Amino acid sequence: MGQTILIVEDNPVNMELETDLLELAGYRVVQATTAEAGLKTAREEQPHLILMDVSLPGTDGLTALQQLEADPVTQAIPVVIVTAHAMKGDEERARQAGCAGYITKPIQTRHFARIIAGFLASSNSPTTPPEPKAGPKEHS
Ligand code: MN
């Protein structure tokens, strides 16, 4: 089983795209469509990484990031902010709040899984690379 990634995203198209790309790369994905649900799932699942949308119904993703960082149960989990709003203030706020990374939408489908793998590798948590999908053995 690969590492677990929690996606907090309220847009169904983005959720499906991100989920497909990560599952294809061998990760286990858990989903939440609000920050409130995401915080609960983060505590319960202890994912290896959280992808956090900024614009969400209810609590926004940057506030949720601050709450994750303030909670001893979740503060060690790296959080990557994913946003359509390429606002300088947002990125600065996210980095000050301790995000592990910052991705701007639209998602780059060809590179997304590799970018996430990079964030996992550079995070402090002990990590192992995701297991590749079972495939035919290499020809020698
Ligand atoms: Mn959103």
Side-chain angles (χ1 to χ4, degrees):
M1 181 71 81
Q3 292 171 293
T4 298
I5 297 178
L6 166 61
I7 303 176
V8 185
E9 169 62 73
D10 64 324
N11 179 295
V13 175
N14 287 332
M15 177 67 95
E16 186 176 359
L17 175 61
E18 293 175 26
T19 298
D20 286 352
L21 291 169
L22 293 175
E23 287 184 347
L24 198 65
Y27 297 104
R28 172 176 174 260
V29 173
V30 288
Q31 302 179 334
T33 56
T34 65
E36 290 83 353
L39 290 169
K40 183 170 182 286
T41 304
R43 285 187 213 103
E44 292 170 355
E45 292 276 344
Q46 292 288 306
H48 296 86
L49 185 120
I50 299 171
L51 289 176
M52 179 69 72
D53 183 26
V54 171
S55 181
L56 293 163
T59 302
D60 69 274
L62 293 178
T63 301
L65 166 65
Q66 292 169 331
Q67 293 171 348
L68 287 162
E69 293 297 322
D71 185 341
V73 178
T74 55
Q75 70 183 174
I77 305 169
V79 180
V80 174
I81 295 294
V82 183
T83 181
H85 310 287
M87 309 264 290
K88 276 229 169 90
D90 273 4
E91 180 164 4
E92 195 178 318
R93 192 180 155 206
R95 296 207 183 277
Q96 282 175 355
C99 76
Y102 194 90
I103 293 175
T104 306
K105 292 174 190 169
I107 298 299
Q108 300 179 57
T109 55
R110 286 173 59 88
H111 306 296
F112 185 66
R114 189 164 48 77
I115 290 167
I116 297 309
F119 287 133
L120 276 164
S122 61
S123 71
N124 289 327
S125 56
T127 57
T128 51
E131 291 167 33
K133 295 250 170 177
K137 290 199 171 166
E138 275 185 290
H139 294 281
S140 55

